[in-house]
Amino acid sequence: KNIYKIDFDNLIKRNITFFTHGTPNEIYIVLLSFYKNNLGKLNYLKKEKLYIRLHPALSLTKVKATILSVKKDLNIFLPEIEFIFKDQEDISESIQ
């Protein structure tokens, strides 16, 4: 079992992090809801990275295809997306 030690002084500051579960359709629904409910904040979001902590059961390829569908279907700009994988950092670090 891996034991993680968190260095709270050096945590990465993230404004928005989505945590995915077991289905790529979920990211479609989350992004759709988020952008429909936050249209006034889109200019701010264009300057920020969007972080997505990918569930280990999900295929990165399928999630990327789903994100492209969101962009196409809503005709929106999405900020730069950075994926966080379980071997990059402990979940408690992502939550911080």
Side-chain angles (χ1 to χ4, degrees):
K1 181 175 176 169
N2 292 333
I3 298 176
Y4 294 94
K5 183 176 179 181
I6 301 171
D7 181 0
F8 288 100
D9 294 327
N10 292 314
L11 287 177
I12 299 170
K13 172 76 170 109
R14 299 182 183 123
N15 288 322
I16 301 171
T17 303
F18 289 122
F19 289 77
T20 61
H21 293 91
T23 155
N25 292 337
E26 175 206 25
I27 195 69
Y28 187 96
I29 294 166
V30 167
L31 288 174
L32 174 72
S33 298
F34 182 78
Y35 276 89
K36 281 193 166 201
N37 293 319
N38 293 287
L39 290 176
K41 299 177 185 173
L42 288 181
N43 285 334
Y44 166 75
L45 294 174
K46 289 178 183 178
K47 301 172 190 169
E48 296 291 322
K49 271 188 187 179
L50 181 62
Y51 294 89
I52 298 175
R53 181 165 175 113
L54 200 61
H55 189 280
L58 290 178
S59 156
L60 179 60
T61 304
K62 286 184 181 178
V63 170
K64 284 183 174 181
T66 301
I67 291 169
L68 287 175
S69 292
V70 171
K71 290 170 75 170
K72 180 182 173 187
D73 294 348
L74 297 178
N75 193 27
I76 60 169
F77 169 85
L78 288 175
E80 179 183 349
I81 295 175
E82 185 171 326
F83 291 96
I84 304 167
F85 301 95
K86 69 175 186 165
D87 58 348
Q88 274 181 283
E89 65 184 36
D90 184 71
I91 193 159
S92 59
E93 290 176 284
S94 296
I95 292 170
Q96 297 296 322

XYZ file of all heavy atoms in Angstrom:
805
model
N 0.844 -1.188 0.000
C 0.000 0.000 0.000
C 0.884 1.244 0.000
O 1.858 1.336 0.723
C -0.904 -0.022 1.229
C -1.815 1.160 1.278
C -2.772 1.058 2.437
C -3.576 2.337 2.439
N -4.688 2.297 3.325
N 0.534 2.213 -0.815
C 1.280 3.458 -0.860
C 0.860 4.375 0.281
O -0.323 4.522 0.568
C 1.038 4.194 -2.184
C 1.631 3.454 -3.351
O 2.593 2.724 -3.199
N 1.044 3.627 -4.511
N 1.816 4.993 0.895
C 1.539 5.987 1.922
C 1.998 7.319 1.377
O 3.125 7.468 0.922
C 2.278 5.654 3.237
C 1.774 4.315 3.771
C 2.071 6.767 4.250
C 2.500 3.842 4.998
N 1.099 8.293 1.406
C 1.405 9.602 0.859
C 1.622 10.594 1.990
O 0.891 10.604 2.962
C 0.258 10.110 -0.024
C 0.052 9.286 -1.259
C -0.878 8.254 -1.284
C 0.778 9.535 -2.410
C -1.077 7.501 -2.421
C 0.583 8.789 -3.546
C -0.342 7.772 -3.542
O -0.541 7.034 -4.672
N 2.609 11.420 1.819
C 2.829 12.530 2.736
C 2.542 13.793 1.942
O 3.107 14.006 0.878
C 4.274 12.527 3.242
C 4.540 13.613 4.255
C 5.945 13.521 4.791
C 6.164 14.635 5.788
N 7.503 14.611 6.332
N 1.666 14.619 2.452
C 1.264 15.822 1.734
C 2.060 17.012 2.237
O 2.121 17.271 3.428
C -0.244 16.090 1.929
C -1.034 14.901 1.411
C -0.662 17.365 1.232
C -2.501 14.960 1.737
N 2.660 17.712 1.300
C 3.373 18.946 1.623
C 2.416 20.106 1.381
O 2.281 20.611 0.279
C 4.611 19.071 0.734
C 5.429 20.308 1.026
O 5.058 21.098 1.924
O 6.458 20.495 0.351
N 1.709 20.513 2.439
C 0.677 21.543 2.301
C 1.244 22.905 1.906
O 0.525 23.742 1.394
C -0.131 21.661 3.602
C -1.040 20.486 3.826
C -0.680 19.471 4.694
C -2.235 20.397 3.147
C -1.517 18.385 4.888
C -3.081 19.311 3.336
C -2.719 18.303 4.208
N 2.527 23.122 2.126
C 3.128 24.402 1.758
C 3.343 24.522 0.252
O 3.494 25.619 -0.269
C 4.469 24.593 2.480
C 4.291 24.732 3.986
O 3.257 25.284 4.411
O 5.182 24.276 4.725
N 3.371 23.394 -0.443
C 3.657 23.412 -1.879
C 2.508 22.873 -2.723
O 2.729 22.357 -3.810
C 4.937 22.612 -2.166
C 6.153 23.304 -1.605
O 6.322 24.504 -1.767
N 6.999 22.556 -0.919
N 1.299 22.998 -2.227
C 0.150 22.549 -3.004
C -0.064 23.462 -4.211
O 0.179 24.655 -4.144
C -1.114 22.561 -2.147
C -1.224 21.475 -1.085
C -2.499 21.683 -0.270
C -1.212 20.094 -1.688
N -0.531 22.874 -5.292
C -0.838 23.625 -6.502
C -2.185 24.307 -6.314
O -3.154 23.675 -5.901
C -0.891 22.687 -7.723
C 0.464 22.016 -7.932
C -1.338 23.430 -8.970
C 0.442 20.897 -8.947
N -2.238 25.589 -6.619
C -3.488 26.349 -6.503
C -4.293 26.137 -7.777
O -3.833 26.415 -8.871
C -3.168 27.835 -6.306
C -4.369 28.749 -6.367
C -5.188 28.670 -5.098
C -6.238 29.758 -5.093
N -7.572 29.267 -5.261
N -5.500 25.612 -7.593
C -6.393 25.392 -8.718
C -7.729 26.028 -8.410
O -8.276 25.845 -7.340
C -6.602 23.899 -8.959
C -5.331 23.172 -9.283
C -5.645 21.706 -9.560
N -4.406 20.999 -9.801
C -3.991 19.952 -9.112
N -4.739 19.454 -8.151
N -2.848 19.393 -9.390
N -8.271 26.763 -9.362
C -9.582 27.363 -9.161
C -10.709 26.380 -9.427
O -11.728 26.392 -8.750
C -9.749 28.602 -10.035
C -8.910 29.747 -9.518
O -8.778 29.931 -8.321
N -8.323 30.508 -10.421
N -10.553 25.532 -10.437
C -11.608 24.596 -10.791
C -10.997 23.226 -11.061
O -10.114 23.084 -11.903
C -12.370 25.055 -12.046
C -12.997 26.426 -11.809
C -13.437 24.033 -12.433
C -13.573 27.048 -13.047
N -11.476 22.234 -10.326
C -11.075 20.842 -10.557
C -12.327 19.995 -10.579
O -13.105 20.000 -9.630
C -10.128 20.325 -9.453
O -8.981 21.154 -9.367
C -9.677 18.895 -9.749
N -12.528 19.272 -11.678
C -13.628 18.317 -11.762
C -13.077 16.934 -11.447
O -12.000 16.567 -11.896
C -14.238 18.287 -13.172
C -15.024 19.507 -13.517
C -14.692 20.270 -14.618
C -16.118 19.895 -12.750
C -15.425 21.395 -14.959
C -16.853 21.025 -13.081
C -16.505 21.771 -14.183
N -13.833 16.175 -10.688
C -13.494 14.795 -10.367
C -14.461 13.899 -11.133
O -15.674 14.020 -10.963
C -13.647 14.541 -8.860
C -12.605 15.222 -8.038
C -12.674 16.581 -7.785
C -11.539 14.503 -7.520
C -11.711 17.222 -7.031
C -10.571 15.132 -6.761
C -10.654 16.489 -6.518
N -13.923 13.033 -11.972
C -14.779 12.156 -12.754
C -15.048 10.863 -11.992
O -14.290 10.482 -11.109
C -14.148 11.809 -14.111
O -12.912 11.131 -13.888
C -13.917 13.045 -14.951
N -16.129 10.211 -12.385
C -16.465 8.903 -11.839
C -16.332 7.893 -12.962
O -15.494 8.084 -13.837
C -17.859 8.941 -11.206
C -17.888 9.811 -9.983
N -18.196 11.147 -10.037
C -17.614 9.538 -8.692
C -18.119 11.662 -8.820
N -17.772 10.706 -7.988
N -17.128 6.873 -13.006
C -16.883 5.761 -13.914
C -17.394 5.849 -15.328
O -17.274 4.881 -16.047
N -17.953 6.972 -15.755
C -18.500 7.031 -17.115
C -18.094 8.315 -17.832
O -18.176 9.390 -17.247
C -20.043 6.898 -17.105
O -20.588 7.509 -18.260
C -20.663 7.515 -15.899
N -17.690 8.196 -19.103
C -17.303 9.395 -19.842
C -18.481 10.335 -20.093
O -18.306 11.533 -20.266
C -16.742 8.873 -21.161
C -16.968 7.427 -21.198
C -17.446 6.975 -19.861
N -19.704 9.811 -20.088
C -20.880 10.668 -20.285
C -21.043 11.666 -19.150
O -21.615 12.734 -19.335
C -22.146 9.824 -20.420
C -22.147 9.011 -21.693
O -21.472 9.355 -22.656
N -22.881 7.921 -21.699
N -20.545 11.303 -17.983
C -20.646 12.203 -16.838
C -19.934 13.524 -17.114
O -20.458 14.592 -16.791
C -20.054 11.542 -15.597
C -20.035 12.475 -14.414
C -18.965 12.137 -13.412
O -17.950 11.528 -13.779
O -19.145 12.523 -12.255
N -18.765 13.481 -17.707
C -18.010 14.715 -17.970
C -18.795 15.595 -18.944
O -18.791 16.812 -18.830
C -16.568 14.450 -18.451
C -15.722 15.705 -18.349
C -16.510 13.899 -19.844
C -15.409 16.165 -16.972
N -19.497 14.981 -19.888
C -20.340 15.743 -20.813
C -21.421 16.493 -20.039
O -21.611 17.697 -20.219
C -20.972 14.797 -21.845
C -21.726 15.522 -22.927
C -21.122 15.805 -24.136
C -23.038 15.932 -22.733
C -21.801 16.482 -25.143
C -23.730 16.607 -23.725
C -23.105 16.888 -24.926
O -23.770 17.564 -25.908
N -22.107 15.790 -19.159
C -23.194 16.387 -18.379
C -22.669 17.477 -17.451
O -23.264 18.545 -17.332
C -23.943 15.292 -17.587
C -24.653 14.359 -18.565
C -24.927 15.900 -16.601
C -25.131 13.062 -17.945
N -21.540 17.217 -16.801
C -20.958 18.197 -15.879
C -20.554 19.469 -16.632
O -20.878 20.580 -16.201
C -19.755 17.594 -15.120
C -18.953 18.663 -14.409
C -20.234 16.543 -14.131
N -19.851 19.322 -17.740
C -19.428 20.499 -18.503
C -20.638 21.241 -19.074
O -20.681 22.474 -19.044
C -18.466 20.105 -19.618
C -17.074 19.692 -19.165
C -16.258 19.174 -20.347
C -16.343 20.827 -18.474
N -21.614 20.506 -19.574
C -22.826 21.125 -20.097
C -23.509 21.950 -19.005
O -23.816 23.130 -19.209
C -23.771 20.044 -20.620
C -25.152 20.509 -21.074
C -25.044 21.273 -22.381
C -26.075 19.321 -21.224
N -23.722 21.362 -17.856
C -24.376 22.069 -16.747
C -23.554 23.257 -16.283
O -24.089 24.340 -16.028
C -24.593 21.123 -15.566
O -25.437 20.083 -15.926
N -22.256 23.056 -16.160
C -21.383 24.121 -15.679
C -21.418 25.324 -16.613
O -21.580 26.462 -16.171
C -19.954 23.604 -15.544
C -19.015 24.638 -15.015
C -18.989 24.945 -13.666
C -18.166 25.322 -15.869
C -18.131 25.911 -13.171
C -17.301 26.284 -15.386
C -17.288 26.581 -14.039
N -21.302 25.089 -17.904
C -21.255 26.200 -18.849
C -22.616 26.848 -19.057
O -22.696 28.053 -19.251
C -20.622 25.768 -20.171
C -19.128 25.844 -20.052
C -18.389 24.761 -19.585
C -18.447 27.019 -20.328
C -17.025 24.853 -19.420
C -17.084 27.108 -20.170
C -16.376 26.024 -19.718
O -15.032 26.120 -19.539
N -23.668 26.083 -18.977
C -25.001 26.686 -19.111
C -25.324 27.565 -17.905
O -26.036 28.544 -18.025
C -26.063 25.612 -19.280
C -26.114 25.070 -20.678
C -27.365 24.261 -20.883
C -27.538 24.046 -22.371
N -28.910 23.736 -22.698
N -24.815 27.207 -16.739
C -25.123 27.950 -15.513
C -24.101 29.037 -15.187
O -24.291 29.778 -14.230
C -25.246 26.993 -14.329
C -26.448 26.094 -14.457
O -27.509 26.525 -14.865
N -26.269 24.832 -14.149
N -23.041 29.133 -15.937
C -21.987 30.099 -15.643
C -21.574 30.909 -16.863
O -20.414 31.283 -16.997
C -20.762 29.373 -15.067
C -21.030 28.794 -13.717
O -21.123 29.517 -12.737
N -21.191 27.483 -13.650
N -22.519 31.186 -17.746
C -22.190 31.904 -18.985
C -21.545 33.257 -18.716
O -20.681 33.695 -19.455
C -23.438 32.072 -19.853
C -23.964 30.789 -20.480
C -25.265 31.066 -21.236
C -22.936 30.172 -21.405
N -21.926 33.930 -17.650
C -21.360 35.236 -17.337
C -19.905 35.177 -16.905
O -19.209 36.178 -16.926
N -19.438 33.999 -16.548
C -18.068 33.851 -16.061
C -17.118 33.305 -17.130
O -15.960 33.056 -16.852
C -18.047 32.917 -14.851
C -18.863 33.446 -13.695
C -18.858 32.455 -12.562
C -19.775 32.937 -11.446
N -19.939 31.942 -10.405
N -17.597 33.114 -18.332
C -16.771 32.479 -19.363
C -15.505 33.252 -19.688
O -14.471 32.660 -19.954
C -17.581 32.232 -20.632
C -18.611 31.114 -20.522
C -19.347 30.946 -21.840
C -17.978 29.812 -20.106
N -15.552 34.578 -19.689
C -14.337 35.344 -19.974
C -13.269 35.072 -18.928
O -12.097 34.947 -19.242
C -14.635 36.840 -20.052
C -15.320 37.199 -21.342
O -15.171 36.507 -22.340
N -16.098 38.261 -21.323
N -13.691 34.968 -17.675
C -12.752 34.639 -16.603
C -12.191 33.242 -16.811
O -10.998 33.015 -16.674
C -13.458 34.724 -15.249
C -12.691 34.099 -14.117
C -11.590 34.744 -13.566
C -13.050 32.857 -13.617
C -10.870 34.165 -12.542
C -12.335 32.270 -12.595
C -11.249 32.930 -12.062
O -10.544 32.336 -11.063
N -13.042 32.313 -17.182
C -12.610 30.922 -17.318
C -11.654 30.717 -18.486
O -10.861 29.784 -18.467
C -13.837 30.022 -17.487
C -14.748 29.945 -16.274
C -16.006 29.152 -16.616
C -14.044 29.316 -15.096
N -11.717 31.571 -19.482
C -10.819 31.434 -20.626
C -9.360 31.609 -20.223
O -8.462 31.128 -20.883
C -11.182 32.443 -21.714
C -12.465 32.119 -22.421
C -12.802 33.168 -23.452
C -14.130 32.869 -24.090
N -14.532 33.875 -25.060
N -9.134 32.312 -19.127
C -7.771 32.577 -18.673
C -7.248 31.508 -17.722
O -6.083 31.500 -17.379
C -7.721 33.942 -17.971
C -8.161 35.085 -18.847
C -8.274 36.350 -18.051
C -8.947 37.423 -18.890
N -9.330 38.579 -18.118
N -8.130 30.636 -17.288
C -7.789 29.624 -16.296
C -7.654 28.255 -16.937
O -8.273 27.966 -17.947
C -8.886 29.542 -15.225
C -9.049 30.791 -14.414
C -7.868 31.052 -13.504
O -7.319 30.081 -12.944
O -7.494 32.221 -13.365
N -6.882 27.388 -16.299
C -6.853 25.989 -16.693
C -8.021 25.291 -16.026
O -8.426 25.632 -14.923
C -5.571 25.310 -16.192
C -4.411 25.382 -17.115
C -3.298 24.500 -16.578
C -2.050 24.672 -17.392
N -0.950 23.850 -16.871
N -8.547 24.309 -16.711
C -9.571 23.457 -16.146
C -8.902 22.124 -15.828
O -8.329 21.496 -16.712
C -10.699 23.269 -17.155
C -11.879 22.416 -16.744
C -12.594 23.032 -15.548
C -12.837 22.275 -17.908
N -8.944 21.732 -14.578
C -8.312 20.486 -14.156
C -9.378 19.402 -14.037
O -10.452 19.632 -13.504
C -7.616 20.665 -12.806
C -6.444 21.604 -12.883
C -6.605 22.969 -12.692
C -5.170 21.133 -13.154
C -5.533 23.837 -12.770
C -4.098 21.991 -13.238
C -4.283 23.343 -13.046
O -3.211 24.195 -13.130
N -9.039 18.226 -14.540
C -9.944 17.088 -14.459
C -9.164 15.919 -13.871
O -8.181 15.470 -14.453
C -10.514 16.708 -15.844
C -11.324 17.872 -16.422
C -11.362 15.451 -15.735
C -11.823 17.631 -17.827
N -9.613 15.480 -12.690
C -9.007 14.294 -12.089
C -9.746 13.093 -12.667
O -10.926 12.887 -12.437
C -9.107 14.305 -10.578
C -8.444 13.057 -10.013
C -8.165 13.134 -8.559
N -7.655 11.861 -8.108
C -6.444 11.653 -7.672
N -5.585 12.652 -7.603
N -6.058 10.469 -7.271
N -9.015 12.318 -13.444
C -9.599 11.221 -14.202
C -9.724 9.971 -13.338
O -8.765 9.550 -12.689
C -8.707 10.933 -15.411
C -9.311 10.189 -16.562
C -10.483 10.963 -17.155
C -8.277 9.926 -17.628
N -10.912 9.390 -13.326
C -11.130 8.131 -12.617
C -10.310 7.051 -13.322
O -10.255 7.008 -14.554
C -12.620 7.786 -12.638
C -12.962 6.634 -11.775
N -12.771 5.332 -12.150
C -13.485 6.599 -10.520
C -13.159 4.526 -11.185
N -13.602 5.281 -10.175
N -9.670 6.156 -12.560
C -8.810 5.127 -13.175
C -9.532 4.212 -14.164
O -8.895 3.657 -15.057
C -8.294 4.318 -11.987
C -8.528 5.149 -10.783
C -9.633 6.096 -11.102
N -10.844 4.063 -14.028
C -11.591 3.180 -14.930
C -11.882 3.826 -16.288
O -12.303 3.144 -17.217
C -12.914 2.763 -14.273
N -11.636 5.119 -16.411
C -11.959 5.822 -17.651
C -10.787 5.841 -18.621
O -9.627 5.955 -18.222
C -12.375 7.259 -17.346
C -13.713 7.433 -16.651
C -13.968 8.903 -16.374
C -14.835 6.857 -17.484
N -11.117 5.788 -19.880
C -10.135 5.898 -20.945
C -9.917 7.374 -21.266
O -10.880 8.104 -21.533
C -10.646 5.166 -22.188
O -10.044 5.659 -23.352
N -8.674 7.798 -21.248
C -8.352 9.185 -21.580
C -8.832 9.525 -22.991
O -9.359 10.604 -23.234
C -6.850 9.433 -21.428
C -6.360 10.835 -21.763
C -7.027 11.884 -20.866
C -4.852 10.912 -21.630
N -8.693 8.594 -23.910
C -9.129 8.805 -25.289
C -10.635 9.077 -25.362
O -11.074 9.999 -26.050
C -8.775 7.573 -26.150
O -7.379 7.325 -26.036
C -9.152 7.775 -27.600
N -11.430 8.291 -24.621
C -12.887 8.482 -24.633
C -13.276 9.802 -23.973
O -14.179 10.491 -24.437
C -13.577 7.317 -23.934
C -13.591 6.049 -24.756
C -14.367 4.955 -24.069
C -14.345 3.696 -24.919
N -15.055 2.595 -24.262
N -12.597 10.155 -22.902
C -12.900 11.411 -22.223
C -12.570 12.593 -23.133
O -13.351 13.540 -23.238
C -12.160 11.512 -20.874
C -12.279 12.900 -20.282
C -12.704 10.473 -19.905
N -11.434 12.539 -23.819
C -11.079 13.615 -24.749
C -12.110 13.728 -25.873
O -12.473 14.833 -26.276
C -9.680 13.384 -25.318
C -8.576 13.708 -24.335
C -7.213 13.520 -24.982
C -6.095 13.967 -24.064
N -4.775 13.818 -24.699
N -12.589 12.592 -26.373
C -13.610 12.608 -27.426
C -14.907 13.222 -26.891
O -15.578 13.987 -27.596
C -13.862 11.195 -27.943
N -15.242 12.918 -25.658
C -16.436 13.483 -25.034
C -16.307 14.995 -24.896
O -17.255 15.747 -25.158
C -16.688 12.834 -23.660
O -16.840 11.420 -23.839
C -17.918 13.405 -22.993
N -15.131 15.454 -24.500
C -14.893 16.898 -24.359
C -15.012 17.596 -25.707
O -15.596 18.677 -25.810
C -13.530 17.156 -23.689
C -13.591 16.710 -22.225
C -13.127 18.628 -23.790
C -12.253 16.663 -21.528
N -14.490 16.975 -26.759
C -14.638 17.547 -28.099
C -16.115 17.628 -28.504
O -16.536 18.594 -29.146
C -13.852 16.727 -29.122
C -12.338 16.888 -29.074
C -11.665 15.930 -30.050
C -11.932 18.319 -29.372
N -16.900 16.635 -28.105
C -18.342 16.665 -28.385
C -19.012 17.831 -27.683
O -19.887 18.487 -28.264
C -19.006 15.358 -27.937
O -18.593 14.293 -28.730
N -18.618 18.094 -26.450
C -19.175 19.226 -25.707
C -18.871 20.523 -26.443
O -19.753 21.363 -26.646
C -18.611 19.290 -24.267
C -19.022 20.579 -23.571
C -19.057 18.090 -23.455
N -17.615 20.690 -26.843
C -17.217 21.915 -27.550
C -18.024 22.089 -28.834
O -18.493 23.179 -29.145
C -15.718 21.870 -27.862
C -14.843 22.007 -26.640
C -13.402 21.727 -26.937
C -12.730 22.843 -27.664
N -11.274 22.662 -27.754
N -18.187 20.993 -29.572
C -18.909 21.047 -30.847
C -20.401 21.291 -30.625
O -20.999 22.158 -31.265
C -18.698 19.736 -31.605
C -19.396 19.677 -32.932
C -19.177 18.333 -33.593
C -20.035 18.231 -34.840
N -19.997 16.901 -35.416
N -21.009 20.537 -29.716
C -22.449 20.632 -29.493
C -22.872 21.982 -28.928
O -23.928 22.500 -29.272
C -22.931 19.523 -28.556
C -22.793 18.135 -29.169
O -22.534 18.034 -30.389
O -22.951 17.153 -28.425
N -22.055 22.544 -28.047
C -22.397 23.828 -27.426
C -21.784 25.019 -28.157
O -22.082 26.158 -27.834
C -21.933 23.856 -25.968
C -22.578 22.850 -25.026
C -21.988 22.975 -23.643
C -24.079 23.049 -24.982
N -20.878 24.719 -29.099
C -20.157 25.764 -29.809
C -19.514 26.744 -28.827
O -19.739 27.951 -28.875
C -21.085 26.502 -30.772
C -20.307 27.355 -31.744
O -19.151 27.070 -32.054
N -20.916 28.428 -32.208
N -18.715 26.184 -27.913
C -18.069 26.992 -26.874
C -16.568 26.799 -26.908
O -16.054 25.831 -27.451
C -18.578 26.643 -25.457
C -18.294 25.170 -25.128
C -20.030 26.994 -25.289
C -18.505 24.798 -23.684
N -15.903 27.761 -26.324
C -14.470 27.669 -26.092
C -14.269 27.048 -24.720
O -14.913 27.449 -23.754
C -13.841 29.068 -26.121
C -12.425 29.078 -25.624
C -11.383 28.779 -26.476
C -12.154 29.370 -24.297
C -10.078 28.774 -26.019
C -10.844 29.365 -23.834
C -9.815 29.062 -24.701
N -13.406 26.059 -24.632
C -13.024 25.512 -23.333
C -11.593 25.930 -23.047
O -10.760 25.975 -23.957
C -13.127 23.990 -23.318
C -14.530 23.398 -23.323
C -14.474 21.879 -23.419
C -15.291 23.804 -22.080
N -11.290 26.238 -21.809
C -9.914 26.604 -21.479
C -8.996 25.398 -21.626
O -9.456 24.272 -21.868
C -10.015 27.048 -20.016
C -11.216 26.359 -19.489
C -12.158 26.221 -20.648
N -7.730 25.629 -21.464
C -6.764 24.531 -21.480
C -7.159 23.534 -20.397
O -7.514 23.912 -19.287
C -5.363 25.066 -21.205
C -4.300 24.002 -21.186
C -2.922 24.541 -20.847
O -2.736 25.772 -20.818
O -2.038 23.721 -20.593
N -7.115 22.260 -20.750
C -7.487 21.219 -19.799
C -6.244 20.430 -19.418
O -5.468 20.023 -20.280
C -8.555 20.283 -20.387
C -9.845 21.066 -20.623
C -8.799 19.085 -19.474
C -10.932 20.288 -21.320
N -6.077 20.239 -18.124
C -4.980 19.409 -17.627
C -5.582 18.255 -16.842
O -6.396 18.460 -15.939
C -4.039 20.214 -16.736
C -2.836 19.406 -16.309
C -1.776 20.242 -15.611
O -1.599 21.417 -15.980
O -1.139 19.717 -14.695
N -5.203 17.054 -17.215
C -5.712 15.871 -16.534
C -4.797 15.521 -15.364
O -3.575 15.639 -15.452
C -5.799 14.688 -17.501
C -6.861 14.880 -18.545
C -6.544 15.379 -19.791
C -8.180 14.579 -18.262
C -7.522 15.570 -20.750
C -9.173 14.770 -19.216
C -8.837 15.265 -20.461
N -5.419 15.094 -14.286
C -4.690 14.651 -13.099
C -4.944 13.156 -12.975
O -6.088 12.710 -12.965
C -5.198 15.369 -11.831
C -5.107 16.876 -12.005
C -4.424 14.897 -10.608
C -5.857 17.656 -10.949
N -3.885 12.399 -12.881
C -3.988 10.948 -12.771
C -3.629 10.506 -11.359
O -2.886 11.189 -10.653
C -3.065 10.274 -13.793
C -3.383 10.668 -15.204
C -2.689 11.699 -15.817
C -4.388 10.034 -15.908
C -2.980 12.080 -17.113
C -4.691 10.414 -17.200
C -3.983 11.435 -17.808
N -4.138 9.341 -10.964
C -3.957 8.870 -9.591
C -2.494 8.681 -9.213
O -2.142 8.801 -8.048
C -4.733 7.589 -9.342
C -4.192 6.382 -10.071
C -4.930 5.130 -9.689
C -4.235 3.947 -10.348
N -4.639 2.692 -9.789
N -1.634 8.423 -10.185
C -0.214 8.242 -9.856
C 0.549 9.574 -9.792
O 1.713 9.607 -9.423
C 0.462 7.281 -10.834
C 0.366 7.730 -12.279
O -0.413 8.656 -12.582
O 1.085 7.155 -13.116
N -0.119 10.672 -10.133
C 0.495 11.999 -10.062
C 0.431 12.587 -8.663
O 1.353 13.244 -8.220
C -0.221 12.976 -10.991
C 0.271 12.978 -12.397
C -0.513 14.008 -13.184
O -1.662 13.767 -13.553
N 0.075 15.152 -13.423
N -0.726 12.398 -8.031
C -0.915 12.963 -6.705
C -2.026 12.210 -5.994
O -2.909 11.629 -6.627
C -1.223 14.457 -6.762
C -2.532 14.814 -7.423
C -2.752 16.314 -7.547
O -1.776 17.050 -7.785
O -3.901 16.740 -7.418
N -1.975 12.254 -4.683
C -2.987 11.634 -3.842
C -4.292 12.419 -3.996
O -4.278 13.622 -4.233
C -2.492 11.678 -2.395
C -3.431 10.975 -1.450
O -3.495 9.748 -1.501
O -4.073 11.683 -0.669
N -5.420 11.731 -3.827
C -6.714 12.399 -3.985
C -6.892 13.551 -2.995
O -7.502 14.558 -3.305
C -7.894 11.402 -3.912
C -9.165 12.086 -4.411
C -8.055 10.851 -2.503
C -10.233 11.156 -4.853
N -6.316 13.408 -1.811
C -6.447 14.494 -0.837
C -5.718 15.752 -1.305
O -6.136 16.869 -1.006
C -5.938 14.060 0.541
O -4.603 13.675 0.478
N -4.665 15.585 -2.082
C -3.995 16.747 -2.669
C -4.878 17.404 -3.721
O -4.941 18.635 -3.817
C -2.667 16.339 -3.294
C -1.612 15.945 -2.302
C -0.363 15.455 -2.984
O -0.343 14.329 -3.484
O 0.620 16.248 -3.007
N -5.564 16.601 -4.514
C -6.459 17.145 -5.542
C -7.620 17.895 -4.902
O -8.070 18.900 -5.436
C -7.021 16.012 -6.399
O -6.007 15.358 -7.113
N -8.096 17.416 -3.788
C -9.221 18.055 -3.107
C -8.812 19.407 -2.530
O -9.604 20.346 -2.526
C -9.774 17.141 -2.008
C -10.435 15.917 -2.655
C -10.761 17.880 -1.105
C -10.816 14.824 -1.675
N -7.590 19.533 -2.092
C -7.125 20.789 -1.501
C -7.186 21.888 -2.526
O -7.376 22.996 -2.323
C -5.699 20.677 -0.978
C -5.546 19.693 0.137
C -6.309 20.072 1.402
O -6.381 21.242 1.758
N -6.874 19.117 2.066
